[in-house]
Amino acid sequence: MSELELAGALTPAGHALRVRIYFEDTDFSGSVYHASYLRFFERGRSDFLRLLGVHHTALAAEGLVFAVRRMAIEFDRPARIDDVVEVRTAV
């Protein structure tokens, strides 16, 4: 599998990344722990930038970083172990 395949895909709307749910992502009920979604979102954001040619290591070498300023999240239904969710990132 190539680096590009691991990083998801650019789409007309932005970026899509498929993420499999593992045991470590879940809580005692078997549902994804709410904070785990934030990790999935960060992976999507990082891989979106990577496919655009913006690499965090290069930015850090120049003293630049991205900081999340605000989030608004609504949970529709829980993901469970072995599910595959798609993280979509857009500007």
Side-chain angles (χ1 to χ4, degrees), residues 16 19 22 39 45 56 63 77 79 81:
V19 176
Y22 295 101
R39 290 196 308 272
R45 182 181 72 102
H56 289 293
R77 62 185 176 274
I81 194 163

Side-chain angles (χ1 to χ4, degrees), residues 49-61:
L49 291 173
R50 180 176 288 111
L51 290 179
L52 293 175
V54 179
H55 299 274
H56 289 293
T57 51
L59 292 173

Side-chain angles (χ1 to χ4, degrees), residues 1-10 14-18 43-52 55 87 89:
M1 181 175 290
S2 75
E3 169 84 17
L4 292 178
E5 291 172 311
L6 286 174
L10 294 175
H15 178 260
L17 176 70
R18 294 170 55 108
R43 290 176 202 163
R45 182 181 72 102
S46 294
D47 282 335
F48 182 28
L49 291 173
R50 180 176 288 111
L51 290 179
L52 293 175
H55 299 274
V87 177
T89 307

